[in-house]
Amino acid sequence: MKAVMLGAGNRGFDVYGRYALEHSDQLQFVAVADIDVAKRERFAVAHGIAPAYQFSSWQDAVAKAEVVFICLPDVLHEEAALTVLAANKHVMLEKPVASTLAGTKRVLAAAQASSGVVMLGYVLRFTAFFQKVRQIVQSGALGQIINFDWRENVSSSHYAHSYVRGNWRREDTSSPMILAKCSHDLDLISWITGSQIATLSSFGSLQHFTLENAPTDAPKCCLDGCPVEETCAFHAAKIYLQEPLAFPATVISTDSSIAGRKVALETTDYGRCVYRMDNTVVDHQVASFLLENGATGTFAMHGHSSEEGRSLRFDGTKATLRGVFKASQQEIRLEPHDYQTSFHGGGEVIKFATQNGHGGGDAGLTQAFIEAVKNNTRAEPQEYLESHILAFALEQSRHSGTVLDMKTWRSQ
Ligand SMILES: NC(=O)c1ccc[n+]([C@@H]2O[C@H](COP(=O)([O-])OP(=O)(O)OC[C@H]3O[C@@H](n4cnc5c(N)ncnc54)[C@H](O)[C@@H]3O)[C@@H](O)[C@H]2O)c1
């Protein structure tokens, strides 16, 4: 499969680009567009792309293959997707579909009308862990689901990198946190329960990473002699100048040497004090749901965790499922509702091999997309709408402090 890469950043270069290099019998990138010359050249060199097929503008690259990967910033998804879909190309679109609900609906309508295969970057659907959770819940093994509780615990270092200093720190230049970070979770909740949300509410705010919490005399940039360097967990050197090299230090510069990373800290926002940024997205948000099938559920996302990961539980009339999904551990615990388990413990534990790349989801989704293009199997694009509807409804509830009836909201 020959494809074009629009946006050769972290996802474009490190995920899909890497997949193509490791599986060149399945996928090859023949053209690349990136506004950043260093990222464009890095991708072109890795994939052996001739200068005539390297572009600074994504518009110029679209025509170069029948398959297009859109890994551009969130705010460019809508325009790029509409252009690619109008040309009936196959498209792997990174999430979110668009950064507004109206834009999402426009793209999904265009996807419906296009003859190409469209896949959204909902990589977690392609993990063994979440597929097993869904299979168990939908099999009825837990009985009727009465309640679920789902947490997305974002590690404080990752939060500071992406949502305070990085690309997703402002709603107006990317998308709200509940869409940017939690669209996966909202999608999985709908996908696993198989029931629509009837009523919802949400609370949340940006509480910690604000100017009021800036240490006295902290300079604008960490490397300019910060008085709390020793004690601040977010000092840029502690996150970005560590060895061995690992995320997020890998994405601040195409030159990953210590000298290259120091230059990035001096010249980009990654070197800035986390308390003196222009970030607007929340650092904690909760949601409560009443499902149409009568079940209730809660969701919490926050950026103040020691370790990154998701935890969840589904309580049914017959059994409880508890799950942990993080880099170091992926495990489902199934406990029947009986005397023995209630008072003396028991049940079954299902362990999954931990894998890089969203627990194997990155590779799983890429393979599924390649297969879908090969066999021309088109998914129903509207299935991506619900997570976006929920994200924007939760934002409205959070801002207005109201409970939303989703039947009314959906019909607006
Ligand atoms: N599926 C997932 O789990 C997942 C995870 C992370 C990010 N994402 C999504 O993937 C997308 C890309 O994220 P990323 O982390 O790779 O970001 P990134 O910033 O590393 O990459 C984006 C690239 O687009 C380039 N670019 C910006 N404007 C451009 C333009 N006008 N023309 C051409 N190139 C342009 C940038 O230079 C950059 O290289 C985002 O929408 C993000 O939300 C999805």
Side-chain angles (χ1 to χ4, degrees):
M1 191 168 102
K2 300 208 184 306
V4 171
M5 175 58 72
L6 308 185
N10 181 31
R11 300 294 295 173
F13 180 76
D14 254 347
V15 177
Y16 306 109
R18 184 188 297 264
Y19 185 94
L21 294 177
E22 289 170 0
H23 303 87
S24 57
D25 54 326
Q26 299 173 21
L27 173 64
Q28 289 168 19
F29 286 102
V30 295
V32 60
D34 201 299
I35 206 164
D36 179 323
V37 65
K39 290 185 181 171
R40 187 166 74 235
E41 282 175 1
R42 176 182 65 170
F43 192 92
V45 168
H47 295 268
I49 297 172
Y53 286 77
Q54 301 170 23
F55 303 92
S56 56
S57 140
W58 62 262
Q59 288 91 339
D60 295 335
V62 170
K64 298 297 174 193
E66 289 312 302
V67 179
V68 181
F69 280 64
I70 301 179
C71 298
L72 295 162
D74 297 5
V75 286
L76 298 180
H77 288 191
E78 179 182 350
E79 193 192 345
L82 289 174
T83 305
V84 172
L85 291 167
N88 289 309
K89 295 188 185 275
H90 305 298
V91 55
M92 207 333 280
L93 172 62
E94 258 309 350
K95 47 117 285 230
V97 171
S99 45
T100 63
L101 187 55
T104 302
K105 288 181 177 171
R106 278 192 287 274
V107 172
L108 295 180
Q112 201 89 48
S114 158
S115 59
V117 168
V118 181
M119 195 171 278
L120 191 70
Y122 278 158
V123 292
L124 296 179
R125 281 192 187 201
F126 295 87
T127 59
F129 175 90
F130 285 108
Q131 287 177 352
K132 189 69 182 171
V133 172
R134 182 176 191 242
Q135 184 256 316
I136 292 169
V137 169
Q138 297 203 344
S139 72
L142 306 180
Q144 185 189 350
I145 300 298
I146 301 296
N147 178 263
F148 68 84
D149 180 32
W150 189 293
R151 295 183 66 84
E152 180 170 19
N153 307 296
V154 184
S155 80
S156 55
S157 301
H158 179 194
Y159 181 87
H161 166 74
S162 293
Y163 306 99
V164 180
R165 293 173 164 134
N167 294 349
W168 297 273
R169 68 178 185 264
R170 293 184 62 86
E171 279 182 40
D172 56 352
T173 53
S174 62
S175 38
M177 183 78 184
I178 194 81
L179 182 67
K181 189 77 184 99
C182 313
S183 54
H184 285 299
D185 306 273
L186 300 174
D187 176 59
L188 291 170
I189 287 170
S190 303
W191 187 64
I192 290 168
T193 62
S195 176
Q196 280 203 325
I197 306 288
T199 313
L200 58 75
S201 66
S202 182
F203 301 97
S205 67
L206 171 58
Q207 194 168 342
H208 181 67
F209 296 99
T210 61
L211 190 58
E212 298 82 69
N213 292 319
T216 310
D217 296 333
K220 197 172 158 194
C221 297
C222 298
L223 300 187
D224 288 346
C226 182
V228 297
E229 174 173 355
E230 293 295 314
T231 52
C232 178
F234 304 105
H235 189 274
K238 289 183 188 159
I239 296 181
Y240 298 112
L241 299 182
Q242 295 285 357
E243 293 284 2
L245 178 67
F247 180 85
T250 42
V251 301
I252 63 171
S253 170
T254 47
D255 177 358
S256 290
S257 67
I258 290 282
R261 283 183 265 157
K262 269 191 183 146
V263 171
L265 297 189
E266 282 156 13
T267 55
T268 72
D269 292 326
Y270 294 115
R272 297 227 355 227
C273 172
V274 290
Y275 301 101
R276 303 189 59 194
M277 282 298 305
D278 58 353
N279 51 315
T280 61
V281 299
V282 299
D283 61 3
H284 62 125
Q285 185 163 357
V286 295
S288 42
F289 301 114
L290 171 64
L291 275 61
E292 282 182 357
N293 66 11
T296 51
T298 48
F299 170 69
M301 182 286 305
H302 67 100
H304 298 274
S305 178
S306 55
E307 191 186 10
E308 183 102 356
R310 291 171 165 93
S311 58
L312 50 98
R313 64 182 286 161
F314 284 85
D315 291 279
T317 49
K318 291 185 186 161
T320 291
L321 176 156
R322 284 187 279 154
V324 176
F325 182 83
K326 54 186 183 179
S328 59
Q329 181 194 16
Q330 287 176 28
E331 194 173 290
I332 291 173
R333 186 174 283 272
L334 277 175
E335 291 162 345
H337 295 176
D338 56 26
Y339 167 83
Q340 173 66 26
T341 312
S342 296
F343 293 102
H344 303 291
E348 181 192 352
V349 176
I350 307 168
K351 289 181 191 289
F352 298 82
T354 54
Q355 293 179 58
N356 289 333
H358 287 103
D362 288 347
L365 174 130
T366 315
Q367 274 160 11
F369 177 62
I370 292 168
E371 283 297 310
V373 171
K374 206 160 72 185
N375 304 322
N376 204 21
T377 40
R378 284 168 45 81
E380 171 52 65
Q382 292 301 320
E383 73 179 282
Y384 301 128
L385 182 59
E386 184 64 8
S387 50
H388 292 63
I389 285 183
L390 293 178
F392 288 105
L394 288 167
E395 273 307 85
Q396 183 173 325
S397 170
R398 181 176 77 82
H399 284 298
S400 62
T402 52
V403 175
L404 300 189
D405 172 67
M406 290 306 291
K407 207 172 219 166
T408 314
W409 206 83
R410 284 176 215 280
S411 65
Q412 284 168 7

